[in-house]
Amino acid sequence: MNVSLRPALPGPAMTREQFLEWDGHEAGRWEFDGVRPVPMTGVSREHGRIVTRIIRALANRLDGAVWDILTDCGLATVGGKVRYPDVQVTRTEGPGSAKLIPGTMVVFEVVSPSSVRTDRVDKVREYAAVASICRYVVAEQSAAVLTVYHREDGSQDWRPLPLAAGDVLELPELGIAVPVDEIYEGVAFPGDDAPAG
């Protein structure tokens, strides 16, 4: 996800509920840092391609009557924060009008230059604190590389697992596995003459 390095908007502090009401009426894309809205930048074509490949890979393997594969939906994290993961998967039912998705089990973020620290540090901590999230997958744009954060033996601590082209992303909580190459099919990397795959 692209979160701007610009600071949160000045002004009075908000609650999470006030932010969700405010966000529905504002132009642009925002996350909530627990106090104020933080603007999100636009995404690149390659970012969009990777997100699309992730959604397609999941949709081809998961029963849509059981699982929801969502993009740009809110996720409540620690400290009253609201994040909008690139992709999240849940089997928890809820109203279509819900602004926050409960029971998220797997989260994907595609790293952008403006979101490196947020995705690799802040969100690792925040998502680890959400009990329902079993796996957090960080996808690079510069190469076919994933970092998979997962819990082992019921621990609250994340264990990182790097994956590269030729490896397989195991998602046991969803009962599926996805080749890393499938996520990066047709994606052009910096310095490449042609897209991967």
Side-chain angles (χ1 to χ4, degrees):
M1 183 59 65
N2 288 6
V3 177
S4 173
L5 297 178
R6 292 177 287 161
L9 288 180
M14 290 183 178
T15 64
R16 179 185 285 161
E17 292 70 27
Q18 288 169 327
F19 165 75
L20 292 170
E21 178 63 28
W22 174 90
D23 189 39
H25 302 289
E26 284 299 313
R29 301 173 69 214
W30 305 85
E31 285 192 330
F32 184 60
D33 70 2
V35 179
R36 292 180 181 82
V38 178
M40 298 162 55
T41 61
V43 298
S44 69
R45 183 174 187 160
E46 294 309 324
H47 182 286
R49 279 184 176 155
I50 296 167
V51 169
T52 300
R53 301 311 185 269
I54 292 167
I55 293 169
R56 183 186 313 155
L58 295 171
N60 286 341
R61 291 168 172 85
L62 295 175
D63 181 348
V66 175
W67 298 97
D68 268 342
I69 304 162
L70 304 165
T71 185
D72 291 330
C73 290
L75 175 63
T77 67
V78 295
K81 296 177 183 178
V82 176
R83 298 295 189 179
Y84 289 88
D86 288 316
V87 180
Q88 60 182 306
V89 182
T90 184
R91 66 186 311 161
T92 304
E93 294 184 18
S97 59
K99 293 186 177 183
L100 296 176
I101 305 304
T104 295
M105 296 174 68
V106 178
V107 174
F108 292 82
E109 295 282 9
V110 179
V111 175
S112 299
S114 65
S115 70
V116 171
R117 177 181 160 45
T118 303
D119 290 339
R120 291 194 186 132
V121 178
D122 300 340
K123 290 182 181 180
V124 170
R125 294 174 182 158
E126 290 176 37
Y127 294 158
V130 178
S132 66
I133 298 177
C134 304
R135 203 161 301 261
Y136 171 39
V137 182
V138 179
E140 302 295 328
Q141 283 192 68
S142 58
V145 174
L146 305 176
T147 303
V148 184
Y149 296 92
H150 60 101
R151 304 181 199 278
E152 287 185 352
D153 303 325
S155 169
Q156 290 302 312
D157 297 327
W158 290 116
R159 303 267 187 214
L161 173 67
L163 298 176
D167 291 335
V168 175
L169 170 62
E170 301 285 345
L171 299 168
E173 49 283 321
L174 307 182
I176 63 172
V178 179
V180 172
D181 294 333
E182 187 174 338
I183 290 172
Y184 287 97
E185 181 182 0
V187 174
F189 301 116
D192 285 353
D193 292 331

